[in-house]
Amino acid sequence: MNRIPPPLPLGSDGYPAAGGVARRPAGDEESVRANRRWWDAAAPAYLAEHGADLGDADFLWCPEGLREADAHLLGEVAGRRVLEIGCGSAPCARWLRAAGADVLAMDLSAGMLDRAARLNRSTGIDVPLLQADAGRLPLAGGVLDVVCSAFGGLPFVADVEGALREVARVLRPGGRFVASVNHPMRWPFPDSPDPEDLRVVSSYFDRTPYVETDGAGRTVYVEHHRTVGDWVRAVVAAGLVLADLIEPEWTPGRTQDWGQWSPARGALVPGTLILSCTTPA
């Protein structure tokens, strides 16, 4: 019999409290299991902190403030079949639905999807919700026009090449895939918004995952680092065509800090990398 793990203890900020931090290998199953629990527990605190910025039906690509309404990275979405990977509370999916897309919102976390369902009801924009792993998309091949992911899951996936192959599989010929991820340049620096902390504390080339554990030593959070070259090679190996690499600059007038991201730091170094891809026609 599989025992249900106990709820993760929360810190004073409402997020899961890490009992320990390590840099060590972490495979796909461990990453999926840990990150599902972490986001289930963190959903209330995360949305309390960032929900106003994310909106209920808005498409924010990144902490720098780039929005799909201005960027048009997905092209015309009306009438298109769209999958959002790592939808969280699904504001992007609701924005897409309001723009006329036939959209499915997917996330690993039941806690996040519960919040998405509540917002579906309160907004009156009812998007279908699916709990699934990005590495195992429960969809037939070639059924989608667009797949998108706004910081939605890819940094937490151990086998990102496999996940991108899944994206390529479910897209039709000439389909589009756009995803924003942590910029690899964030990895060597401290997790601080202060530009005075821009000092290299680890190697950009060290791909060893960042792992948090609870008081009993169980893995509760895993994040995977890849260099820019790693992302490009993963995209190409999946059979996708890389159309553009976008490094958004900080939106003028935006004052919102978001973890390590801030206006002062965003003026100096990139914080987000956006992969814009297509499938061969």
Side-chain angles (χ1 to χ4, degrees), residues 245-273:
L245 284 175
I246 303 155
E247 298 166 298
E249 295 187 43
W250 201 266
T251 300
R254 179 173 168 82
T255 60
Q256 177 72 43
D257 282 6
W258 189 310
Q260 183 186 107
W261 292 266
S262 69
R265 189 158 175 162
L268 300 175
V269 292
T272 297
L273 183 68

Side-chain angles (χ1 to χ4, degrees), residues 32-54:
V32 167
R33 183 173 58 252
N35 288 323
R36 180 188 292 118
R37 289 184 68 208
W38 195 92
W39 283 105
D40 283 351
Y46 180 83
L47 294 173
E49 183 178 5
H50 300 299
D53 200 26
L54 291 168

Side-chain angles (χ1 to χ4, degrees), residues 127-178:
V127 299
L129 305 173
L130 172 67
Q131 185 178 14
D133 171 16
R136 301 174 182 85
L137 298 179
L139 299 170
V143 297
L144 298 173
D145 300 300
V146 178
V147 176
C148 60
S149 183
F151 274 83
L154 292 183
F156 307 105
V157 174
D159 181 13
V160 76
E161 293 84 358
L164 293 179
R165 285 195 297 271
E166 279 288 273
V167 168
R169 180 184 66 79
V170 300
L171 279 170
R172 65 166 176 79
R176 186 176 300 197
F177 170 60
V178 184

